[in-house]
Amino acid sequence: MANTDVAPGDRQKRTWLDRIESLGNKVPHPAMIFLGLCILVIVLSWVLAFFDVAVTYDVAEAPGGGPDAIEGGSQGIGIDYPDPDDVVITQETTAIESLLSVEGIRFLFTSLVSNFSTFSVVAVILVAMLGVGVAEESGLMGALIRKLVAIAPPWAITAIIVFVGMISSIASDAGYLILIPLAAAAFHSVGKHPLAGLAAAYAGVSAGFAVNILITPSDGILTEVTNEAIALADPALQIGITANLWFNIVSTLFVTVVIVFVSSRLIEKRLGAYDPSGAQLPTEGFADPGGAGTATETAVDQKAESRGLRGAGLAVLASLVVVLLLSLPTGAPLRNAETGSLIEDAPLMESLIVIITLIFLAAGIGYGRAAKTIASSTDVINAITKTWASLAGLLFMLFLIAQFIAYFNYSNMPTVISVATADLLESADIGAVWLLIGFILVIALLDIIIPGLLPKWAIFAPIFIPLFIRLDVAPQTLLAAYRLGDSPMNVITPLMVYLPFIVLVAQRYQRSAGLGTVIALMIPYSFIVLVTWLAFFVVWFLLGIPMGPGYPANL
């Protein structure tokens, strides 16, 4: 579906990406891929354990292993944020554990159910889609898209979607489940290719996940892990939660511009005009790809839609009032019980997925009742059932992904790989700028196999922060470099747990879409964001611009 009226250079680039797409779509079913990866990890763990492969390192950790837990692509969901004062530095030796030893075989047989039941992404998807499904089936999503199209010029829709994706990390992984399907439908509504909207939203949500214009829940624990690592070199030196604030804000705006450029100049041109004949049939359990609401809706009743939007608005307003009453008063249930904070270790931050789901649920019901697309509680239950039924294939995929991640973690291979790479980089005799660049590139590469925001930092901070302090590079600068390296590869790693869901959304509009389709779309985002953001970081560092209020780039 590529546009043939392009320059020779663009045609060559498109052909290269098309080759990747074709190759990716010819690989076996993703379920077979993860089954094969499980077998590979089992065999490789036996080989490495036979040769007694092990590493020794300092690590920042909390009781119970808080930040060390690897969520296999989830950017924060399911991580139990510890009390910052409990984070300590310890020295550990980690050896490869064989999955074919007596203990390993016992783990394979006894952990199958718990691996899946404790894989929090499954619950997050089901809970989030509960509210979204009702909103979609009631017709609210289609009405919102039409309203967005009516009030926003077409050129601004991409920028709006990308920017909303960039700041969606305040709600952890909600952007993946809500914004990406909405963006595809919005692009379709204005005559653009829906996969271009999907790609722009995915890049906005994930390629800059570690930065935001707001303070996010993960900022607190990243800061405390950093402080514990700082104590190894200078116990008197500490940083605060705003240490990267200026860098985060400007980076959010910069990456938004880069993603919008890639979307409009590369991705939309490559995809060309959309052919709706290849769309998934509405009877497959999805709403109409055109975004008009339910699959059975054939015409829009403007008066009913206006009533519905008013009903949805009132429902959202009532929901927000309830949330504010539970958050703002002193001693409110959604405040931190000890500090009263609404951000650090606060129930409000930990329950954002639930709050967003309830708002969508209330809005969907409010729209449906006012527009008369929902007549009873049975219609609400049917909408939820239909939405969950459409996720059956995804749930099976997540079952296999959960096993792979559990086996990978049990073998200790992620830790061994990370520490070995860190030791290699630490031993390099180069200047601070080149060492920062090398650090960012190593983090980017490791992000392909360890996509979580926190796990890598728990290992790398105690190794590199003392090293950079000796080079007079401030800890907040290294933390900013880590945020950069951790983000761009999120959109192309096959271990992103929401990738099967994104493929599922793509198939609504293009039945032939597969893993290769999505990865080929996202490769330009990943590498262009990485290169331009890296150049942006180097210029920022060389100019000595503070990383945050009162936090210079150098000591």
Side-chain angles (χ1 to χ4, degrees):
M1 289 188 183
N3 187 353
T4 59
D5 187 19
V6 292
D10 290 337
R11 184 178 297 112
Q12 183 178 4
K13 185 181 297 182
R14 189 185 65 250
T15 301
W16 174 70
L17 291 173
D18 285 344
R19 258 190 230 110
I20 293 177
E21 177 180 349
S22 177
L23 179 63
N25 288 340
K26 286 180 180 178
V27 300
H29 190 283
M32 296 304 299
I33 293 176
F34 279 100
L35 180 61
L37 287 173
C38 288
I39 296 172
L40 177 63
V41 167
I42 291 171
V43 174
L44 190 58
S45 70
W46 175 77
V47 173
L48 295 176
F50 180 80
F51 287 100
D52 297 323
V53 175
V55 291
T56 300
Y57 56 98
D58 291 332
V59 62
E61 63 175 15
D68 288 351
I70 296 176
E71 281 291 315
S74 175
Q75 310 295 331
I77 289 294
I79 294 178
D80 183 17
Y81 293 97
D83 184 337
D85 293 334
D86 292 336
V87 179
V88 295
I89 297 293
T90 60
Q91 188 173 79
E92 296 184 3
T93 297
T94 298
I96 295 292
E97 295 288 344
S98 172
L99 283 157
L100 291 178
S101 64
V102 172
E103 289 298 324
I105 293 173
R106 186 175 292 131
F107 174 80
L108 293 176
F109 277 85
T110 60
S111 67
L112 192 73
V113 174
S114 62
N115 292 342
F116 187 55
S117 64
T118 58
F119 194 44
S120 60
V121 173
V122 176
V124 170
I125 288 177
L126 290 176
V127 170
M129 294 307 293
L130 184 151
V132 173
V134 173
E136 189 175 35
E137 287 298 311
S138 71
L140 173 60
M141 302 296 271
L144 288 174
I145 292 168
R146 284 189 291 272
K147 186 64 67 175
L148 172 65
V149 170
I151 63 176
W155 61 265
I157 290 180
T158 303
I160 292 171
I161 286 172
V162 173
F163 182 71
V164 171
M166 289 292 297
I167 64 175
S168 68
S169 61
I170 189 68
S172 294
D173 294 1
Y176 293 98
L177 302 173
I178 297 170
L179 183 64
I180 291 175
L182 188 67
F187 265 52
H188 185 274
S189 296
V190 296
K192 295 185 176 184
H193 202 298
L195 295 193
L198 176 148
Y202 187 18
V205 170
S206 200
F209 190 90
V211 296
N212 204 309
I213 62 173
L214 306 170
I215 301 295
T216 67
S218 59
D219 287 330
I221 187 61
L222 285 175
T223 299
E224 293 308 321
V225 170
T226 303
N227 283 331
E228 293 300 327
I230 292 172
L232 293 172
D234 185 355
L237 182 63
Q238 294 281 286
I239 66 172
I241 199 170
T242 60
N244 282 163
L245 184 60
W246 300 150
F247 178 80
N248 288 352
I249 292 174
V250 180
S251 289
T252 299
L253 301 176
F254 176 80
V255 174
T256 296
V257 172
V258 173
I259 292 174
V260 170
F261 174 84
V262 174
S263 295
S264 58
R265 298 298 180 91
L266 299 179
I267 303 304
E268 291 184 32
K269 287 185 178 181
R270 174 176 178 264
L271 289 170
Y274 176 57
D275 180 6
S277 64
Q280 190 76 269
L281 296 177
T283 53
E284 295 291 324
F286 297 109
D288 180 4
T294 61
T296 58
E297 186 177 4
T298 57
V300 177
D301 184 337
Q302 296 293 342
K303 291 183 179 180
E305 183 173 282
S306 296
R307 291 197 309 270
L309 288 173
R310 283 195 297 270
L314 291 173
V316 170
L317 182 61
S319 302
L320 292 176
V321 168
V322 172
V323 173
L324 291 175
L325 290 175
L326 294 175
S327 305
L328 295 183
T330 303
L334 296 184
R335 287 183 176 272
N336 183 303
E338 296 181 359
T339 66
S341 173
L342 284 172
I343 296 177
E344 295 187 31
D345 197 25
L348 177 65
M349 294 292 103
E350 297 174 5
S351 59
L352 284 175
I353 285 287
V354 175
I355 292 171
I356 291 172
T357 295
L358 292 176
I359 289 175
F360 269 91
L361 182 63
I365 294 174
Y367 181 93
R369 295 291 293 179
K372 302 193 183 304
T373 56
I374 291 179
S376 66
S377 59
T378 301
D379 292 335
V380 176
I381 294 172
N382 287 341
I384 296 171
T385 302
K386 180 179 178 181
T387 302
W388 280 7
S390 70
L391 299 174
L394 177 63
L395 293 179
F396 175 65
M397 181 72 60
L398 292 176
F399 170 78
L400 293 174
I401 293 174
Q403 306 310 318
F404 166 72
I405 292 173
Y407 299 164
F408 198 41
N409 290 345
Y410 180 89
S411 71
N412 289 327
M413 278 191 275
T415 300
V416 171
I417 293 171
S418 296
V419 173
T421 307
D423 289 343
L424 179 64
L425 190 57
E426 184 180 9
S427 63
D429 186 16
I430 53 180
V433 173
W434 289 107
L435 192 58
L436 280 168
I437 293 173
F439 174 80
I440 291 170
L441 295 177
V442 166
I443 294 297
L445 289 174
L446 287 176
D447 193 50
I448 296 176
I449 61 171
I450 312 176
L453 177 63
L454 298 178
K456 297 184 296 297
W457 190 233
I459 295 172
F460 275 73
I463 297 171
F464 282 102
I465 283 180
L467 170 65
F468 277 92
I469 287 177
R470 290 196 296 270
L471 296 174
D472 291 327
V473 176
Q476 55 267 20
T477 299
L478 188 64
L479 179 56
Y482 176 77
R483 293 176 187 272
L484 191 168
D486 180 74
S487 299
M489 293 299 177
N490 288 336
V491 296
I492 62 171
T493 172
L495 296 186
M496 167 59 68
V497 292
Y498 292 112
L499 185 57
F501 172 77
I502 295 168
V503 172
L504 205 64
V505 174
Q507 289 171 346
R508 300 185 187 188
Y509 303 93
Q510 185 176 310
R511 280 191 300 269
S512 61
L515 189 65
T517 303
V518 175
I519 291 180
L521 282 174
M522 303 314 299
I523 284 176
Y525 291 106
S526 183
F527 287 98
I528 293 175
V529 169
L530 178 61
V531 171
T532 56
W533 199 2
L534 179 57
F536 170 86
F537 173 84
V538 170
V539 171
W540 184 295
F541 176 72
L542 291 177
L543 292 177
I545 301 173
M547 293 292 169
Y551 292 99
N554 291 290
L555 294 175

